[in-house]
Amino acid sequence: MVGIQVKYINPEYTSQTCHVCGQRGNRIERDTFICTNPECTCYNQAQDADMNAAINIAKSKDVVK
């Protein structure tokens, strides 16, 4: 089959892990993520949890076989 190669990524904790520093943070609401790492540039900033997860999935090398 010709086309785009698809890789299945393990989605576990992708919305709870900061896409900048990789540390698990807080989901204060269903759709909001906050990084709890004081050394991170995203520290204590509210982020959309789905967008955070999408970035983590795009950067991930944790391919499910």
Side-chain angles (χ1 to χ4, degrees):
M1 180 168 240
V2 178
I4 298 171
Q5 182 181 17
V6 175
K7 294 182 180 179
Y8 294 93
I9 303 298
N10 183 357
E12 188 173 38
Y13 301 114
T14 55
S15 66
Q16 300 172 24
T17 303
C18 179
H19 69 277
V20 175
C21 70
Q23 181 172 310
R24 296 248 322 256
N26 290 333
R27 291 280 302 272
I28 58 168
E29 295 175 5
R30 177 177 163 83
D31 60 351
T32 305
F33 168 79
I34 294 183
C35 180
T36 56
N37 179 1
E39 296 177 9
C40 182
T41 57
C42 290
Y43 174 66
N44 222 20
Q45 296 177 17
Q47 303 174 48
D48 182 273
D50 290 338
M51 179 63 79
N52 183 62
I55 294 168
N56 281 328
I57 289 170
K59 292 170 50 175
S60 180
K61 297 193 185 337
D62 186 14
V63 177
V64 177
K65 296 181 182 188

